[in-house]
Amino acid sequence: MELTLTPEAEALIAQEMKLGHFQSPGDLIETALFAFRDTTSQNVQELNNSIQQGLDDIDSGNLLNEEESRAYLHALRARL
């Protein structure tokens, strides 16, 4: 398989190789891909857990009123 990398990516790979963190560019890319997969999988699981918690709250009647909802959404927006 052939890959075309940006000059920035090539420089990063060269830097990591020079530091001795990886034995080959392939090792670095493989490590990065597995880390990406694991992180993505973890994020999906966290999202699914949050959705389930929200559905459970709805089912149990644990809801926010309009004022609480607005305050919550403003707080979320402020964190972004």
Side-chain angles (χ1 to χ4, degrees), residues 2-44:
E2 281 191 41
L3 299 172
T4 303
L5 302 173
T6 64
E8 294 83 7
E10 287 184 7
L12 181 58
I13 290 171
Q15 179 182 6
E16 292 297 317
M17 295 296 299
K18 185 176 181 179
L19 292 171
H21 294 156
F22 298 92
Q23 292 183 1
S24 71
D27 289 342
L28 184 151
I29 292 170
E30 183 176 321
T31 299
L33 287 172
F34 284 122
F36 175 77
R37 182 195 63 195
D38 293 346
T39 300
T40 302
S41 176
Q42 181 180 358
N43 289 343
V44 168

Side-chain angles (χ1 to χ4, degrees), residues 39-78:
T39 300
T40 302
S41 176
Q42 181 180 358
N43 289 343
V44 168
Q45 186 60 44
E46 288 173 5
L47 179 59
N48 284 335
N49 291 343
S50 293
I51 291 169
Q52 186 59 53
Q53 181 181 356
L55 293 172
D56 292 345
D57 285 345
I58 291 169
D59 290 342
S60 67
N62 186 14
L63 305 172
L64 300 176
N65 63 35
E66 182 180 351
E67 184 178 316
E68 292 168 327
S69 295
R70 287 182 184 278
Y72 177 75
L73 292 174
H74 283 289
L76 280 178
R77 184 170 42 183

